[in-house]
Amino acid sequence: MDGAASPMPDVRSPQLGPAAREPALRVEGLGVRLGGRAVLEGVSFQVGAGQLTGLIGANGAGKTTLLRAIAGLQRPSAGSVTIARAGRAARPLGYVPQRFAFDGELPVRARDLVALGLDGHRLGLPLPSRRRRLAVADALEAVGASAFADKRLGELSGGQQQRVLIAHALIGAPALLALDEPLANLDLRAAQEVVALLARIARERGVGVLVSAHEMNPLLPVIDGVVYLAGGRAASGSVEQVVRSEVLSALYGHHVDVLRVHGRVIVVAGTGQAEHAPAHGHEDGPAVEIV
């Protein structure tokens, strides 16, 4: 960030009950450099067990890089990532990358993909067992996908595919479920259903859920906290703590107005410095972002 930026306020996620004392995820001072350029710098936040946190930022803000670092797919240049363990046999993280299109002719059913989340990392063909069948059935039921479990992936709608991908990540009983833009390319109804599903998974299963999105409004009814990324840095806490003019102005390095209109949040910035604009505006005019 430009040295002229104001010091960041110390905004931390609030303690929301006993589960928050043992966070599902703790990120401390995380930095990532790509091609000699600092993409993330000094990023710190927590996701409590049983809480749903929104990872918010414009395209190019570093959300995918952060999620990849959390998943162990990108080596950080500084800081640490700690994920709780849900149990002795559990894998700590369930990761859903940005959704891609499945070939309609691919001979893989929804239940087959979910089963790969249980034993796909092992060599050889898995042996059929009652325990494995029950685990797959439970994961499918948890996301409301039982009715189309035997359909090919390419035959499913975008919302149905997203449910199957969530089941694939959930079957390993992770402490943390991290999803990269799960609402992208979904219609309004499907997006609302996925948001409600993730909130229910967090509450009922005690899983920490981290959801990246470039727009926060679809998540507002259910999120417990927010991590707002801009210029390689982050502010974290409740929506009321973070999405305020003084906090976002410090984060972007120039003045930002936050408006609340009919239950929606709008961020308006006078973009003297285009690289810090929270939306795709022009240098000589305001940038408007509905988050």
Side-chain angles (χ1 to χ4, degrees):
M1 277 294 292
D2 193 304
S6 325
M8 280 298 301
D10 184 16
V11 183
R12 300 287 179 151
S13 299
Q15 296 296 307
L16 299 176
R21 290 197 293 268
E22 278 296 330
L25 170 68
R26 183 184 294 112
V27 176
E28 297 180 329
L30 188 73
V32 175
R33 298 184 68 85
L34 296 175
R37 180 176 66 92
V39 178
L40 300 173
E41 186 175 4
V43 173
S44 298
F45 65 93
Q46 295 183 5
V47 176
Q51 294 182 3
L52 193 155
T53 297
L55 173 60
I56 308 301
N59 292 333
K63 301 187 299 295
T64 294
T65 299
L66 176 55
L67 289 175
R68 285 176 55 82
I70 291 170
L73 301 175
Q74 174 64 55
R75 183 185 297 274
S77 58
S80 64
V81 174
T82 304
I83 303 174
R85 295 199 68 87
R88 181 178 298 180
R91 294 198 300 279
L93 172 68
Y95 177 51
V96 181
Q98 289 192 34
R99 191 173 62 84
F100 52 89
F102 292 103
D103 187 339
E105 299 302 317
L106 185 69
V108 176
R109 301 170 301 170
R111 69 168 68 252
D112 298 328
L113 180 65
V114 174
L116 288 175
L118 191 64
D119 46 33
H121 61 291
R122 300 171 184 166
L123 295 176
L125 295 174
L127 295 176
S129 69
R130 182 174 182 273
R131 181 178 179 181
R132 186 172 184 270
R133 288 194 302 272
L134 290 176
V136 171
D138 175 69
L140 289 164
E141 183 178 357
V143 302
S146 301
F148 46 86
D150 291 311
K151 285 190 176 182
R152 290 185 176 186
L153 294 171
E155 298 173 344
L156 304 180
S157 68
Q160 290 173 335
Q161 288 182 3
Q162 195 59 251
R163 287 174 182 267
V164 173
L165 290 169
I166 294 169
H168 171 271
L170 191 63
I171 195 171
L176 175 71
L177 189 61
L179 305 98
D180 193 356
E181 296 280 3
L183 308 184
N185 303 317
L186 298 184
D187 60 36
L188 179 61
R189 179 178 177 180
Q192 290 173 336
E193 290 175 349
V194 169
V195 167
L197 168 64
L198 293 173
R200 179 168 58 79
I201 287 172
R203 273 45 163 191
E204 292 182 358
R205 302 203 169 212
V207 178
V209 179
L210 180 63
V211 183
S212 82
H214 65 274
E215 184 181 351
M216 184 172 62
N217 284 304
L219 301 173
L220 278 177
V222 298
I223 54 176
D224 300 298
V226 61
V227 179
Y228 202 114
L229 278 181
R233 301 187 303 165
S236 65
S238 68
V239 173
E240 291 73 20
Q241 288 175 314
V242 173
V243 188
R244 303 189 333 228
S245 178
E246 59 269 34
V247 175
L248 296 188
S249 294
L251 188 64
Y252 282 108
H254 61 84
H255 183 72
V256 173
D257 287 315
V258 176
L259 309 176
R260 287 173 167 79
V261 181
H262 301 301
R264 293 174 67 80
V265 177
I266 303 174
V267 174
V268 184
T271 56
Q273 297 175 329
E275 66 270 21
H276 297 314
H280 299 295
H282 300 285
E283 289 193 36
D284 57 352
V288 179
E289 181 182 9
I290 300 178
V291 299

